[in-house]
mmCIF file of all heavy atoms in Angstrom:
data_model
loop_
_atom_site.group_PDB
_atom_site.id
_atom_site.type_symbol
_atom_site.label_atom_id
_atom_site.label_comp_id
_atom_site.label_asym_id
_atom_site.label_seq_id
_atom_site.Cartn_x
_atom_site.Cartn_y
_atom_site.Cartn_z
ATOM 1 N N GLY A 700 201.281 -140.915 -101.896
ATOM 2 C CA GLY A 700 202.477 -140.187 -102.319
ATOM 3 C C GLY A 700 202.678 -138.849 -101.628
ATOM 4 O O GLY A 700 203.738 -138.247 -101.746
ATOM 5 N N MET A 701 201.664 -138.363 -100.912
ATOM 6 C CA MET A 701 201.793 -137.076 -100.219
ATOM 7 C C MET A 701 202.417 -137.312 -98.845
ATOM 8 O O MET A 701 201.808 -137.969 -98.004
ATOM 9 C CB MET A 701 200.418 -136.429 -100.012
ATOM 10 C CG MET A 701 199.720 -136.030 -101.298
ATOM 11 S SD MET A 701 200.449 -134.548 -102.008
ATOM 12 C CE MET A 701 199.988 -133.362 -100.746
ATOM 13 N N PRO A 702 203.597 -136.731 -98.591
ATOM 14 C CA PRO A 702 204.255 -136.981 -97.306
ATOM 15 C C PRO A 702 203.414 -136.496 -96.123
ATOM 16 O O PRO A 702 202.734 -135.479 -96.214
ATOM 17 C CB PRO A 702 205.552 -136.174 -97.403
ATOM 18 C CG PRO A 702 205.675 -135.712 -98.798
ATOM 19 C CD PRO A 702 204.363 -135.854 -99.474
ATOM 20 N N GLU A 703 203.459 -137.252 -95.055
ATOM 21 C CA GLU A 703 202.749 -136.904 -93.815
ATOM 22 C C GLU A 703 203.654 -135.944 -93.031
ATOM 23 O O GLU A 703 204.800 -136.271 -92.739
ATOM 24 C CB GLU A 703 202.511 -138.200 -93.029
ATOM 25 C CG GLU A 703 201.647 -138.059 -91.824
ATOM 26 C CD GLU A 703 200.161 -138.206 -92.142
ATOM 27 O OE1 GLU A 703 199.744 -137.976 -93.300
ATOM 28 O OE2 GLU A 703 199.424 -138.552 -91.207
ATOM 29 N N SER A 704 203.129 -134.782 -92.693
ATOM 30 C CA SER A 704 204.021 -133.773 -92.111
ATOM 31 C C SER A 704 204.367 -134.020 -90.639
ATOM 32 O O SER A 704 205.533 -133.967 -90.264
ATOM 33 C CB SER A 704 203.419 -132.380 -92.293
ATOM 34 O OG SER A 704 202.093 -132.369 -91.831
ATOM 35 N N SER A 705 203.364 -134.273 -89.804
ATOM 36 C CA SER A 705 203.704 -134.475 -88.392
ATOM 37 C C SER A 705 203.408 -135.903 -87.968
ATOM 38 O O SER A 705 202.257 -136.285 -87.815
ATOM 39 C CB SER A 705 202.961 -133.477 -87.504
ATOM 40 O OG SER A 705 201.691 -133.221 -88.028
ATOM 41 N N PRO A 706 204.462 -136.693 -87.795
ATOM 42 C CA PRO A 706 204.254 -138.113 -87.521
ATOM 43 C C PRO A 706 203.683 -138.382 -86.130
ATOM 44 O O PRO A 706 203.931 -137.628 -85.185
ATOM 45 C CB PRO A 706 205.653 -138.705 -87.645
ATOM 46 C CG PRO A 706 206.596 -137.576 -87.466
ATOM 47 C CD PRO A 706 205.881 -136.329 -87.866
ATOM 48 N N THR A 707 202.885 -139.428 -86.038
ATOM 49 C CA THR A 707 202.388 -139.942 -84.759
ATOM 50 C C THR A 707 202.732 -141.429 -84.736
ATOM 51 O O THR A 707 203.085 -142.000 -85.773
ATOM 52 C CB THR A 707 200.858 -139.795 -84.646
ATOM 53 O OG1 THR A 707 200.256 -140.405 -85.795
ATOM 54 C CG2 THR A 707 200.451 -138.328 -84.572
ATOM 55 N N TRP A 708 202.631 -142.031 -83.565
ATOM 56 C CA TRP A 708 202.836 -143.478 -83.463
ATOM 57 C C TRP A 708 201.480 -144.154 -83.456
ATOM 58 O O TRP A 708 200.627 -143.833 -82.620
ATOM 59 C CB TRP A 708 203.608 -143.820 -82.187
ATOM 60 C CG TRP A 708 205.030 -143.362 -82.234
ATOM 61 C CD1 TRP A 708 205.595 -142.389 -81.468
ATOM 62 C CD2 TRP A 708 206.077 -143.870 -83.076
ATOM 63 N NE1 TRP A 708 206.933 -142.251 -81.790
ATOM 64 C CE2 TRP A 708 207.251 -143.143 -82.767
ATOM 65 C CE3 TRP A 708 206.139 -144.860 -84.063
ATOM 66 C CZ2 TRP A 708 208.474 -143.380 -83.402
ATOM 67 C CZ3 TRP A 708 207.346 -145.087 -84.694
ATOM 68 C CH2 TRP A 708 208.502 -144.361 -84.368
ATOM 69 N N GLU A 709 201.285 -145.076 -84.372
ATOM 70 C CA GLU A 709 199.989 -145.738 -84.521
ATOM 71 C C GLU A 709 200.171 -147.251 -84.574
ATOM 72 O O GLU A 709 201.242 -147.738 -84.962
ATOM 73 C CB GLU A 709 199.322 -145.307 -85.842
ATOM 74 C CG GLU A 709 199.181 -143.800 -86.031
ATOM 75 C CD GLU A 709 198.175 -143.162 -85.081
ATOM 76 O OE1 GLU A 709 197.347 -143.898 -84.494
ATOM 77 O OE2 GLU A 709 198.235 -141.934 -84.894
ATOM 78 N N ASP A 710 199.113 -147.976 -84.192
ATOM 79 C CA ASP A 710 199.086 -149.402 -84.497
ATOM 80 C C ASP A 710 197.872 -149.745 -85.346
ATOM 81 O O ASP A 710 197.744 -150.854 -85.835
ATOM 82 C CB ASP A 710 199.141 -150.264 -83.220
ATOM 83 C CG ASP A 710 198.045 -149.930 -82.236
ATOM 84 O OD1 ASP A 710 196.869 -150.023 -82.615
ATOM 85 O OD2 ASP A 710 198.374 -149.581 -81.081
ATOM 86 N N THR A 711 196.956 -148.763 -85.493
ATOM 87 C CA THR A 711 195.742 -148.968 -86.266
ATOM 88 C C THR A 711 195.500 -147.701 -87.061
ATOM 89 O O THR A 711 195.577 -146.600 -86.509
ATOM 90 C CB THR A 711 194.544 -149.228 -85.325
ATOM 91 O OG1 THR A 711 194.889 -150.267 -84.403
ATOM 92 C CG2 THR A 711 193.311 -149.654 -86.101
ATOM 93 N N ILE A 712 195.206 -147.837 -88.348
ATOM 94 C CA ILE A 712 195.049 -146.647 -89.190
ATOM 95 C C ILE A 712 194.044 -146.966 -90.295
ATOM 96 O O ILE A 712 193.947 -148.113 -90.725
ATOM 97 C CB ILE A 712 196.419 -146.230 -89.789
ATOM 98 C CG1 ILE A 712 196.413 -144.790 -90.279
ATOM 99 C CG2 ILE A 712 196.876 -147.168 -90.898
ATOM 100 C CD1 ILE A 712 196.794 -143.801 -89.213
ATOM 101 N N ASP A 713 193.318 -145.953 -90.737
ATOM 102 C CA ASP A 713 192.382 -146.201 -91.825
ATOM 103 C C ASP A 713 193.119 -146.303 -93.159
ATOM 104 O O ASP A 713 193.878 -145.417 -93.526
ATOM 105 C CB ASP A 713 191.348 -145.065 -91.915
ATOM 106 C CG ASP A 713 190.260 -145.408 -92.919
ATOM 107 O OD1 ASP A 713 189.872 -146.593 -92.978
ATOM 108 O OD2 ASP A 713 189.807 -144.513 -93.656
ATOM 109 N N LEU A 714 192.882 -147.409 -93.857
ATOM 110 C CA LEU A 714 193.361 -147.549 -95.227
ATOM 111 C C LEU A 714 192.138 -147.312 -96.111
ATOM 112 O O LEU A 714 191.297 -148.189 -96.302
ATOM 113 C CB LEU A 714 193.953 -148.947 -95.444
ATOM 114 C CG LEU A 714 194.434 -149.270 -96.855
ATOM 115 C CD1 LEU A 714 195.473 -148.281 -97.358
ATOM 116 C CD2 LEU A 714 194.993 -150.696 -96.901
ATOM 117 N N HIS A 715 192.041 -146.090 -96.600
ATOM 118 C CA HIS A 715 190.856 -145.663 -97.340
ATOM 119 C C HIS A 715 190.745 -146.420 -98.669
ATOM 120 O O HIS A 715 191.752 -146.837 -99.231
ATOM 121 C CB HIS A 715 190.969 -144.152 -97.583
ATOM 122 C CG HIS A 715 189.716 -143.521 -98.057
ATOM 123 N ND1 HIS A 715 189.451 -143.304 -99.383
ATOM 124 C CD2 HIS A 715 188.640 -143.081 -97.379
ATOM 125 C CE1 HIS A 715 188.255 -142.748 -99.502
ATOM 126 N NE2 HIS A 715 187.744 -142.602 -98.305
ATOM 127 N N GLY A 716 189.514 -146.576 -99.147
ATOM 128 C CA GLY A 716 189.273 -147.266 -100.413
ATOM 129 C C GLY A 716 190.159 -146.713 -101.522
ATOM 130 O O GLY A 716 190.251 -145.506 -101.686
ATOM 131 N N HIS A 717 190.821 -147.606 -102.250
ATOM 132 C CA HIS A 717 191.688 -147.277 -103.396
ATOM 133 C C HIS A 717 192.910 -146.433 -103.047
ATOM 134 O O HIS A 717 193.580 -145.935 -103.945
ATOM 135 C CB HIS A 717 190.882 -146.598 -104.522
ATOM 136 C CG HIS A 717 189.844 -147.517 -105.106
ATOM 137 N ND1 HIS A 717 190.159 -148.735 -105.654
ATOM 138 C CD2 HIS A 717 188.492 -147.409 -105.175
ATOM 139 C CE1 HIS A 717 189.054 -149.332 -106.055
ATOM 140 N NE2 HIS A 717 188.025 -148.548 -105.771
ATOM 141 N N ASP A 718 193.189 -146.251 -101.762
ATOM 142 C CA ASP A 718 194.368 -145.471 -101.362
ATOM 143 C C ASP A 718 195.604 -146.355 -101.233
ATOM 144 O O ASP A 718 195.498 -147.576 -101.078
ATOM 145 C CB ASP A 718 194.143 -144.810 -99.990
ATOM 146 C CG ASP A 718 193.479 -143.449 -100.123
ATOM 147 O OD1 ASP A 718 193.037 -143.109 -101.236
ATOM 148 O OD2 ASP A 718 193.396 -142.753 -99.095
ATOM 149 N N THR A 719 196.745 -145.697 -101.253
ATOM 150 C CA THR A 719 198.003 -146.340 -100.879
ATOM 151 C C THR A 719 198.593 -145.558 -99.721
ATOM 152 O O THR A 719 198.729 -144.336 -99.772
ATOM 153 C CB THR A 719 199.003 -146.343 -102.051
ATOM 154 O OG1 THR A 719 198.477 -147.170 -103.091
ATOM 155 C CG2 THR A 719 200.352 -146.916 -101.612
ATOM 156 N N LEU A 720 198.891 -146.276 -98.665
ATOM 157 C CA LEU A 720 199.436 -145.690 -97.456
ATOM 158 C C LEU A 720 200.821 -146.280 -97.278
ATOM 159 O O LEU A 720 200.995 -147.499 -97.327
ATOM 160 C CB LEU A 720 198.534 -146.134 -96.308
ATOM 161 C CG LEU A 720 198.280 -145.251 -95.107
ATOM 162 C CD1 LEU A 720 197.735 -143.897 -95.519
ATOM 163 C CD2 LEU A 720 197.264 -145.949 -94.200
#
Side-chain angles (χ1 to χ4, degrees):
M701 295 285 293
E703 188 87 336
S704 51
S705 35
T707 54
W708 291 113
E709 306 291 343
D710 55 58
T711 309
I712 199 89
D713 188 38
L714 177 57
H715 193 264
H717 296 303
D718 272 10
T719 294
L720 213 56

